[in-house]
Amino acid sequence: MDDPLAKLKNGTLKLYALEKELPPEEAVRVRRAYIEEETGADLAALGTFSIGIDRVVKRNIENMIGAVQVPVGVAGPLKVKGEYANGTYWIPLATTEGALVASANRGCSAITKAGGADVRIIKDGMTRAPVFAARDIVHAREIADWAAAHTADLAAAAEKTTARGKLLSITPYIVGTNVFLRCAYDTKDAMGMNMVTIATAEIADRVEAATGARLIALSGNMCTDKKPSAINMIEGRGKSVVAGVHLSNDLIETVLKTDAKTLAEVNYRKNLIGSVRAGALGFNAHAANIIAALYLACGQDAAHVVEGSSCITTIEATDDGAYVAVTLPAVQVGTVGGGTGIDTQAACLSLLGVAGGGEPEGANAKAFAEIVAAGVLAGELSLLGALAANHLARAHKELGRG
Amino acid sequence: MDDPLAKLKNGTLKLYALEKELPPEEAVRVRRAYIEEETGADLAALGTFSIGIDRVVKRNIENMIGAVQVPVGVAGPLKVKGEYANGTYWIPLATTEGALVASANRGCSAITKAGGADVRIIKDGMTRAPVFAARDIVHAREIADWAAAHTADLAAAAEKTTARGKLLSITPYIVGTNVFLRCAYDTKDAMGMNMVTIATAEIADRVEAATGARLIALSGNMCTDKKPSAINMIEGRGKSVVAGVHLSNDLIETVLKTDAKTLAEVNYRKNLIGSVRAGALGFNAHAANIIAALYLACGQDAAHVVEGSSCITTIEATDDGAYVAVTLPAVQVGTVGGGTGIDTQAACLSLLGVAGGGEPEGANAKAFAEIVAAGVLAGELSLLGALAANHLARAHKELGRG
Amino acid sequence: MDDPLAKLKNGTLKLYALEKELPPEEAVRVRRAYIEEETGADLAALGTFSIGIDRVVKRNIENMIGAVQVPVGVAGPLKVKGEYANGTYWIPLATTEGALVASANRGCSAITKAGGADVRIIKDGMTRAPVFAARDIVHAREIADWAAAHTADLAAAAEKTTARGKLLSITPYIVGTNVFLRCAYDTKDAMGMNMVTIATAEIADRVEAATGARLIALSGNMCTDKKPSAINMIEGRGKSVVAGVHLSNDLIETVLKTDAKTLAEVNYRKNLIGSVRAGALGFNAHAANIIAALYLACGQDAAHVVEGSSCITTIEATDDGAYVAVTLPAVQVGTVGGGTGIDTQAACLSLLGVAGGGEPEGANAKAFAEIVAAGVLAGELSLLGALAANHLARAHKELGRG
Amino acid sequence: MDDPLAKLKNGTLKLYALEKELPPEEAVRVRRAYIEEETGADLAALGTFSIGIDRVVKRNIENMIGAVQVPVGVAGPLKVKGEYANGTYWIPLATTEGALVASANRGCSAITKAGGADVRIIKDGMTRAPVFAARDIVHAREIADWAAAHTADLAAAAEKTTARGKLLSITPYIVGTNVFLRCAYDTKDAMGMNMVTIATAEIADRVEAATGARLIALSGNMCTDKKPSAINMIEGRGKSVVAGVHLSNDLIETVLKTDAKTLAEVNYRKNLIGSVRAGALGFNAHAANIIAALYLACGQDAAHVVEGSSCITTIEATDDGAYVAVTLPAVQVGTVGGGTGIDTQAACLSLLGVAGGGEPEGANAKAFAEIVAAGVLAGELSLLGALAANHLARAHKELGRG
């Protein structure tokens, strides 16, 4: 073909259309060159990548000009006692925040020495909540009632669009003339946003046809996707997971350099009272850090870090130590689809033994969610421990013991 | 030296200590090999990277085993009319969510055709809020009063720890025996979390010494860092930015394939009413997606995506079109420090013309924040436009049937 | 008997024990005299009351010294088109806030002229959520699972304590070692807090006995009673009610002195955007005012005004006017029990035709809830109309039309 | 005159106009008779009242048909160690919820035996936040900037409308094209809503004239009045008050029949964790109950109970007992104006020694706010103590100690 760069410049070729004219690597190279000329920036660094981009340009990105590289460290070994993840793991963390991996590592050490973290999934369902406009509030309730009365039919219609997804429930909410139908699905090993959107479109069609409701948007924000929300904190979205570990006084002293009472006090004053007065929807030290690093390493949707930050961390001093737990209402993860198939991300999933579809279906995504929760527990333990140790050190200094 | 892999296995060498024995590349290679043996996973993909890791292993990560590669696409040209970013930009988006770049691209097109997005920073201050324990509530108020009376002294002490940061204010909050001092700083071109933590430690020392307060944690969660919070939505954290554009009826029709009234209705029913009933702290379609992709490309802290999701999107139909705006109360970004210096991320910043320190100081971080807001506006416009167009199409279809 | 006042003074008689020694009227008189001596205050005004206090001192109050009188006005006629309340009502409002009754009155007029307010109850269930402590997170899920598996047995046990109440559902929530079981009941014509507390105690006993959970409190705040909460806004508590009315352009102009567009704009900028940025859980102009005045008049629990303020008011301009609606997720009312039997309060309920038990059971409380929602709609319409009219007047003045 | 009842019936006299034709008592009687005829209800009970209604019909109510009587009980003595209220009080509680006064009474006893409750006002300012529409976001920031630059002028204008109020601050907030100016005032002994509304109207006029902003509503919901809101919880509204008391182990055992650890655990699991998971804006057991009963007795605005429910209760076990505190960010009270002048309500205020204007101005309202906080503390102590005692009793029973 003629020089594609020239064609981009003279407008006869659209930037997004390069892949139609050239092989992917070439298209990316030409596009990058074009942007370099347009902006005067040197983008060579973006051009060095090894991931197989045939798949990437079809599924993961448009207008590709290269790749950023994010360093990956490991923390571990982390002993996890879940129902799906049961063993000792090295967790991959992609981050540029110095000290994060080291901190997680110390938390893993505390957990593993304590015999491992118990983890349980307490709810599982990916949601989509279309919003419909009703003529008036009488019509609104009719729509909600109709959907409730036809859930089985709607489920059948929805499930025709997906090989694996199952509709679990439809919960209606009304605000004036607005009707929201929050549809929850078992999406097996997929995070499932696309699956549930497509399936819910079928439901929406039928609701419209039968009731005269006007579909305004397939996502009416009561899903809630990628926004912090009380509904996700209360009712969950994706997998609701809880992880906990009992630390003996001895272990708290030797590994965390503090004591149970101080650890509990830091959590109480910072994670509970501080977050309460801030009007927060997250009650933790830095759950989002661990979530972000794990999601990024493992090809998850980075915007789902939002939901991870709703974590509630609880610490209670017990007779012989402390019980530390994290409650994560909305862990939205998958081991198939999305970014999970990109070479480097797939490697991180394989490091955890959860790459691809599970056996039975859904087992890998559930195992991954359990590991995520245990990882967040490690991060919380470490940071709260450090704060408590620092507080204790100051207290001792004041008392002249230092 | 002896075979380090053997030493790792027999426990005579700690995994994190490899960099002390070997050059960084070698240390990373050996660590990866060790983890491969431990887990049986093939991690070769992680081993192909080009970023200069001397700096990375010192500043950005521990226990490094390689890097993940995240594809980067560009959207643009995007015309931005800010006070710091004034021009036409190609915005780099690192994502694995197919269609995101294409969607942002369409939004950029609409904005640029409309003459560009106005952007203004309405507040700027990175915060840290230590929590102190008081003896009782009388003591609590004394602590708060003391801090208020000594703000100038505390500012002087804080600013000795930083070449560039300036203390802007200290706001006290009391909950029972808990005293929070929310300290806000101008951190110039740095995102500034480390800077403000170190500076605030000086303040905390003085408060403790003078008042007998017990410092519990340098971060008492009223900062609020990496948790969704009303305090950040109301009072802001980092840069509070607002971006807006007026779209003519013609442009809404030709580019977005919908009309002003429908666009406003979708925003009202979905982003406002839906989020309201969900108890959300975010009132937007998918701000977190754009924030995540831009932050990831440009070496920002991925956990700060949480705050980005607090965005409020507003659309009002006007006499001759629609005014669309996004309000982002907590954009926490920097162009120096953190992950901004890694080669690929630095390239993305340079693509925007905002790499490194600005002239005057702070100008680059401010320009970047303005571009972020304009980018989010593009993302909102595109997704809301698509929803509205779909709604309109259905409406027409129905009318065509009748 | 000996002079009781003297005995109070010398400590041989407890203040609360007066009713054991004297007839109620006398006990109240003596107690008031004692307090007058103690404080030097003249409390004669409190001593003039006509309500039959035999019942009051047994059921409604302790240590009674008299009564306050709250003026009651009427607003109406208000046409209500509910499923339980269907007709034209005069609503009694007990308030000391000047202009409130006049404002409600104007709203009633608008609604009635428009043909009446549609009202629907969309959910009904009074809740109590005990909190249990588990040994660890594994135990926590076992407790939740056990409760889910034994709901029928638990319902049977709970319903033995009440002649009328029916258990509707038990929803478990886990936070670390904390297990909450949100039990919802149909409480018929009673507001039902006492009923559900007693019934839930039976459930809690069985959960403790079977699972080893430790009951911490019969109310674990996920009920949520008398605190603003997202769970009540999302899932409802008591009766979730929605009321709406379509106003023609002509009516908006003649009664409210404004136009549909302005009315919708005021609601959008004030009740939605303002409340959103304030981090509010209420999206209305002054629902709490109407709720408070109606509750007070009708012997409801004044602390339940809290939940009333969670109201969401929506206004949409339509082709030929505006549709105005209020959504009240948590109307907690009864027509039997509590303060409903006091003479003056009973008179107000009888004014609405809903005093005492309904036919069938529950019909009176439901009718009352519908009237409450219609009353709130009247209040919103009137205040928003006034704001819109004022805005319009200013706009006209500026334009020189005034 | 002719028979007014007949004139009402034939429509020649409006119901609200009766006071123009007849003396107040007569007008009320005729109106009641008319409503009785209209509804068939017997409203005689409402007709027995003793409050002087000349003032009431002018200031407090329209369309009056009588009064409801709410029984008043006393709890006390309650020792308060505030800066304005310093002494021992009997607190008047108007309620129909049996056991409430008894419960408060027990809490008063615990506090007084412990030496009294410390109380401090930590912030004081009644707010009004008008919302303006800007042309675009550039204009929005101009409006905010203009207001900030002209605060002194605006204060002068505002204060011309009031003999006593002082403007304390104007805080601007922007959401897209919406500008909110949160104006805070010292309103002395008045609760001050009317005062600040009138004063803020002057500010709004000037902002409109100078900037071209369009005033949409004098209250833009960021005030926030009578809706639960994070802004009030974080920044306060009216008086922000904190009260605390240290209880010895002995006192906890003898008066509350529990121990410090159990008391703290109940508060932690119920008031903190339960409210957190419920997405609540209140973290207490039943603050709204005490607030409602005190407000009702003392002529406060019953709808302000909403804000009272935002209370945060904290309990920490100490070496020798427990420290219990309540933090009330938004106590909106006055001792002049509103319902404070009605005979029965004035008697209740005089019982507390805070009726009318204080010396210096504002001292009475502040003293009242301190008593409110101490009263809420009593209520919390009592209910939490009862829950803890019950839990302890169950625990002992299980252990065979019972």
Side-chain angles (χ1 to χ4, degrees), chain A residues 228 233 272-283, chain B residues 175 221-222 224 227-234 279-281 310, chain C residues 278-280, chain D residues 229-231 233-235 279-283 312:
Chain A
M233 191 145 96
L272 293 179
I273 303 298
S275 282
V276 155
R277 182 64 186 258
L281 277 177
F283 301 81
Chain B
V175 181
N221 278 24
M222 288 197 75
T224 302
K227 270 84 64 183
S229 75
I231 201 172
N232 284 11
M233 191 146 95
I234 295 166
L281 278 175
S310 291
Chain D
S229 75
I231 201 172
M233 191 145 95
I234 294 166
E235 303 302 347
L281 277 176
F283 300 82
I312 306 171

Side-chain angles (χ1 to χ4, degrees), chain C residues 50 62 65-66 68-70 72 96 99 174 178 205 208 215 221 226-227 269-270 277 285 391 394, chain D residues 50 60 62 65-66 68-70 72 96 99 174 178 205 208 215 221 227 269-270 277 285 289 391 394:
Chain C
S50 60
E62 300 82 40
I65 58 169
V68 286
Q69 300 170 29
V70 185
V72 174
T96 60
I174 292 174
N178 302 278
D205 282 347
E208 272 197 309
L215 176 67
N221 278 25
K226 300 175 180 173
K227 271 84 64 183
R269 294 191 185 268
K270 167 189 170 64
R277 182 64 186 259
H391 172 49
R394 283 171 176 255
Chain D
S50 61
N60 299 111
E62 301 80 41
I65 58 167
V68 286
Q69 299 171 29
V70 185
V72 174
T96 60
I174 293 173
N178 302 278
D205 281 347
E208 273 198 308
L215 177 67
N221 277 25
K227 270 82 65 182
R269 293 190 186 269
K270 168 189 169 64
R277 181 64 186 258
N289 275 337
H391 172 48
R394 284 171 176 255

